[in-house]
Amino acid sequence: SAPHRLAVAHLRDTAETRRRELRTFPSARPLVQIDHIFVSAHFVVEDITTVRNDLSRIASDHLPLVTSLRLE
C-alpha cells in the first residue's frame, strides 16, 4: 500500500530481522502479516514476536506484535 511504501522509504520494518513472516491476521487463525513496527536507524532489533494466547485472540482481530529494541 502507499502508506507502507512511504514508511519503508524512511524507516526500517522490525520484522525484516525474521526469516519468516510473523502472521498477525486474523487472530483466531493468523494467515498473513498486515501489522508492522517501523523504527529509525538508531535502533537495533533484539527480538520481535507475536503474542499468541487466549486473551490476545479475543481482544482483537489482530495478534499484537512485540519488539525489543536497543538504542544504537
Side-chain angles (χ1 to χ4, degrees), residues 6-72:
L6 179 62
V8 296
H10 302 282
L11 301 169
R12 186 168 46 104
D13 188 343
T14 58
E16 290 176 356
T17 62
R18 297 284 298 209
R19 291 179 190 218
R20 60 188 164 99
E21 185 177 64
L22 288 167
R23 297 176 181 162
T24 60
F25 183 81
S27 61
R29 188 167 176 248
L31 300 173
V32 295
Q33 178 181 351
I34 60 172
D35 301 283
H36 303 272
I37 298 173
F38 296 100
V39 295
S40 68
H42 302 94
F43 293 96
V44 174
V45 178
E46 296 286 331
D47 188 38
I48 181 169
T49 189
T50 56
V51 178
R52 293 176 182 233
N53 59 37
D54 291 340
L55 183 57
S56 68
R57 286 190 163 103
I58 62 171
S60 174
D61 59 344
H62 298 248
L63 291 176
L65 279 176
V66 178
T67 301
S68 298
L69 303 172
R70 178 173 42 89
L71 190 56
E72 185 71 85

